[in-house]
Amino acid sequence: MEAAREAAAPGAEPGVAAVVLPERLQRREAERQQGVERQRQRKEAQVVKEEQSEFFIAAFTREREAVEGLLAAGVLEEAAARLQGLQKLLTESVRFLAPYEVRQGQEAVARLQSDLGARRQQLQPKKKFAFRILKKEAAPGCESRPAEPARPPAASAAPAPGYGPAEGEPGGPPLCGFSGVEDEELELGPAELLQRDVLLSELRRCRVRLRGNANTLRVRDCRGCTVLCGPVSTSVLVDGCSDCLLALACQQLRTHRTRSSLFYVQVTSGAVIEDCTKVSFAPYTWSYPGIERDFESSGLDRNRNNWNLVDDFDWLATDRPSPNWSLIPEQERISCWE
């Protein structure tokens, strides 16, 4: 008997081995049950996610078809309001949608925005015919007045050379904005921006102030620029930019192929980056007289800002932060913009 005790538990008191063994079994059983519970929770979460995705697809399809019908019927104001609701549905669903579903939704919204702009132009009343006043020929011996120099590209109701449809909107209506300008101070006001689609492209070392409520904003291929923008009702796309400083307020921010840039953002649904490096984020702090009125007309919630929720499509690891973006330290953030 004594030999059996020593063999069961060398150097231990009698009965200890009999107690330790069940404890180990209990611990293993507890770990197994925890693993089973985790698997069950993951399956339930996946089912919920799939159900949410199915609900979104059904609701999105229904609203998209309604907007298309309103556009075909020429009921543009209601179509614009439903389209804004469609954009809101998409931005609020980003957190549980697959990346390809987000892209499909964004493409559908961009196409409808393009169709809305085209229908607005199509249904605009045509200008009335008017006689032109012809210039009188200069009298003999008199010098003709020299022509005024052409102005640099600037935004207006009619597009200037270099303007074009925004990304994802082939054949869309011309946009207002600035293109191909270097070393200039550029500005647009509330009347020029109200629910317009704005494009800034191929700017170099410019400072741009957009005081008002635009519908969308596209910033493309800009270098060393500062872009200060009031509330945008729907989405902002920054593509192919570098060494820029941007203050943006919008429902959704998408950033592609951009590097070494600072973003001060007020964003409802969070920011998405893809193929970006050395981009940093801080909360939106730019202001100007009348900005509260512009926030009201944009429909953005001033109290809801997910400026630090950044989704990097190139970084899939969940246990380590993406090296492609960071938060701007508080002591380094800009508080005075002028």
Side-chain angles (χ1 to χ4, degrees), residues 72-236:
V75 188
L76 301 189
E77 294 308 316
E78 186 177 349
R82 295 286 286 268
L83 181 54
Q84 189 167 347
L86 190 66
Q87 174 72 55
K88 186 176 181 182
L89 172 64
L90 176 61
T91 55
E92 291 179 348
S93 306
V94 166
R95 65 184 182 278
F96 60 79
L97 294 177
Y100 75 90
E101 291 176 322
V102 175
R103 288 193 182 94
Q104 288 177 344
Q106 290 169 345
E107 289 170 1
V109 170
R111 179 179 58 78
L112 290 173
Q113 288 172 343
S114 175
D115 292 346
L116 175 61
R119 287 289 282 161
R120 276 177 172 159
Q121 283 201 336
Q122 185 181 358
L123 297 177
Q124 269 182 347
K126 294 182 179 179
K127 293 182 180 179
K128 294 181 179 178
F129 175 79
F131 289 101
R132 275 193 318 171
I133 300 175
L134 300 177
K135 290 183 181 179
K136 292 183 179 180
E137 293 185 3
C142 294
E143 295 182 0
S144 60
R145 184 178 179 182
E148 294 183 1
R151 295 182 179 180
S156 63
Y163 288 18
E167 181 177 293
E169 300 175 2
L175 311 180
C176 70
F178 301 98
S179 179
V181 183
E182 297 184 4
D183 303 301
E184 292 283 347
E185 296 266 344
L186 307 170
E187 186 166 340
L188 292 174
E192 298 157 306
L193 289 172
L194 184 60
Q195 289 301 308
R196 297 290 302 276
D197 296 325
V198 181
L199 173 64
L200 307 176
S201 66
E202 299 181 357
L203 304 181
R204 300 293 182 266
R205 300 171 301 280
C206 291
R207 185 178 181 88
V208 185
R209 296 180 184 85
L210 304 176
R211 294 186 172 97
N213 168 214
N215 181 47
T216 65
L217 171 65
R218 307 290 184 264
V219 185
R220 286 196 200 148
D221 300 319
C222 295
R223 305 284 183 272
C225 294
T226 296
V227 177
L228 308 178
C229 182
V232 176
S233 293
T234 57
S235 64
V236 173

Side-chain angles (χ1 to χ4, degrees), residues 9-30:
E13 294 182 4
V16 171
V19 176
V20 172
L21 187 59
E23 285 180 354
R24 288 178 180 173
L25 290 175
Q26 288 175 5
R27 188 162 56 248
R28 288 180 183 176
E29 177 62 18

Side-chain angles (χ1 to χ4, degrees), residues 285-318:
T285 54
W286 188 52
S287 186
Y288 56 87
I291 192 172
E292 295 299 335
R293 179 184 64 249
D294 292 334
F295 264 103
E296 289 179 9
S297 66
S298 71
L300 298 180
D301 184 353
R302 193 71 192 268
N303 298 318
R304 184 177 178 185
N305 188 5
N306 293 314
W307 64 274
N308 56 350
L309 297 183
V310 181
D311 188 6
D312 185 355
F313 280 2
D314 297 320
W315 188 256
L316 302 179
T318 57

Side-chain angles (χ1 to χ4, degrees), residues 56-69:
F56 164 80
I57 291 171
F60 189 88
T61 301
R62 184 172 59 252
E63 284 300 300
R64 187 198 67 214
E65 291 173 350
V67 173
E68 290 171 344

